[in-house]
Amino acid sequence: MKYAHLVWGNLKRKKLRTLLTLLSILVAFVLFGLLCSIRQALVGGVELAGADRLVVRHKVSIIQLLPESYQARMERIPGVDLVVHQTWFGGVYQDPKNFFMQNPVQPEPFLAMHPEIVLPPAQRDAWLKTRTGAIVGRTTAERFQWKVGDRIPIRSPIWGQRTWEFDLVGIYEGRDKGTDTTPMFFRYDYFDEMREEGRGRGLVGWYTIRVKDPSRAAEIARLVDQEFENSPAETKTEPEGAFAQAWARQIGNITLIVAGILGAVFFTILLVTGSTMSQAVRERIGELGVLKAIGFTPAQVLGLVLAESCTLAGLGGGLGLALAWLLTVNGDPTGGLLPLFNFRTADLLLGVGLCVVLGVVTGLLPALQAMRLRVADALRRL
Amino acid sequence: MSTTNETQPQDSALVRIEGVEKTFRRASEDVHVLARLDLVVPPGEFLALMGPSGSGKSTLLNLIGGLDRPTQGSVTVAGERIDTLSDRRLADWRARHIGFVFQLYNLMPVLTAERNVELPLLLTHLGKAERQKHVATALAMVGLSHRAKHYPRTLSGGEQQRVGIARGIVTDPTLLLCDEPTGDLDRKAGDEILNLLQALNREHGKTIIMVTHDPHASARASRTVYLNKGRLSNEPVS
Ligand SMILES: Nc1ncnc2c1ncn2[C@@H]1O[C@H](COP(=O)(O)OP(=O)(O)O)[C@@H](O)[C@H]1O
Ligand SMILES: [Mg+2]
């Protein structure tokens, strides 16, 4: 690139202006990286959910409970392979800041339903034998330095005043990189017996159904909802992905908010960079005229200006993305609230794409202006 | 010019201008600057072009240098009609044939002297080492080898103009066009520039067309023509 020194020299001409423009691009791309990671943390589960799984929840809202007896009725529906339930425990370990999910489940069908939870056979057996037994994912175990055999005290204001004590019998790994390994699972039979009178004994949070034939999932979802029509607790059955999204909707339409913020940020950055570039061209019309007089073709002049805007965008954006990557590489910064927090390669590539778009869009108009410049006119302006 | 069977007319002129008119469209009226103008410049000439301010000297120089096109008539340089070339072809043609020297030097402030001189060479196929060799030669010819790494703002006006001339001759163009090259310089610096141009013409056979309104400058040329009211003559109008 024998013109590099010319492009670089022009960028260095107004150092402060270039620096400020670079900084605003950098900040925008750091923000982009962080928001992508947060978005991923909040809606990432949607993409990971299995296609053959349906989630059955109370028709009115996700926090309303369903009778335990629904399990047997759902198992009788043709096409249903397996039914398990979970309940939101909402416990606190030592300090409310130490957030992680703990749900009571039925160990055997639960593990069958979730092959992405990988538990050594010996620990699995121990769990089946221990009523107070619980298993926890690798992430949380490492976070609190728990070992198998530890006794874990947890309080949950939802289910009574007492402190629950769990015996840690297993630590599971995730089968895939995206598998959430923060939750703790413990036995439903222990939970149901120990929860206080009047706190929903015999009721569970939601069901997960595995269907035999994923192509019939929609039809089976309809059958399930029909089964409980006109009962006191009507249901709403959705594919697991949609269920995860319903969770996300509880805290607002994340993707839309993120897209909105990023849209505003990039619009601003577009204006900032665009105005820098058009100033850069306006203040050197004469020089561009000289280049043309020397014999630079219209296309070469266009290229020079575009190279300048793309260098700006590439440098600012590249540094911004790198910084965002550094800030997110250690995962969840909240210590548990956002287990899936990560800056995905796909988002990184999107960022690189945005860099290119920024460079081209902000450079194009000034570049065209420079290209169309008539030499004789440009030289008269000196 | 190596092919012998080319059907080019045996033209002794390097620049041949025939019936050239130039009219600028302004918002309200048309400005007729050049009227049915003819000019022949043989190779090796050092031609001075004089005339009052606003008489169209720069306009004529721009037509010869392929920076603009005439409204009427033809401009032929080195046997090639240039008034009919497209913008792109014209740019290539300029790169190959024309060296410009401007009144205000017009150096790139962000580039060193040698990088400024190198600019026209970037448009050629020369490699880096060859470009550096040409740049060194051109800077030596204008006596500025010791200023190669300096930025224009650290050079005097006369030195800047010498860099401008080095940039104009570095590609060894067919024609060197200078628009008031001494217009912004004091007498001493101006004389140095004129010495340089004269040497380029006499010792290196460069064809030079120089616009000036300084009689002292035109005295150095081998011929002077005068532009007035859109027409050329060999005598100054009183
Ligand atoms: N691009 C242009 N548009 C309109 N008028 C122009 C343009 N270029 C030159 N002129 C007019 O043409 C006349 C001659 O200009 P110029 O060739 O620059 O004169 P000189 O160089 O002899 O001083 C002037 O009246 C000038 O205003
Ligand atoms: Mg002029």
Side-chain angles (χ1 to χ4, degrees), chain B residues 57-58 179-180:
Chain B
K57 304 182 296 294
S58 297
D179 197 343
E180 311 209 22

Side-chain angles (χ1 to χ4, degrees), chain A residues 186-226:
Chain A
F186 57 97
R187 284 172 56 156
Y188 175 75
D189 49 1
Y190 174 57
F191 166 72
D192 195 41
E193 182 193 331
M194 300 299 285
R195 62 178 149 178
E196 274 177 21
E197 210 62 65
R199 301 226 185 206
R201 206 167 265 179
L203 296 177
V204 298
W206 66 91
Y207 288 93
T208 307
I209 294 179
R210 187 169 68 209
V211 297
K212 290 188 180 118
D213 175 3
S215 67
R216 288 186 56 221
E219 177 196 338
I220 291 168
R222 230 179 1 260
L223 286 175
V224 170
D225 290 343
Q226 269 168 22

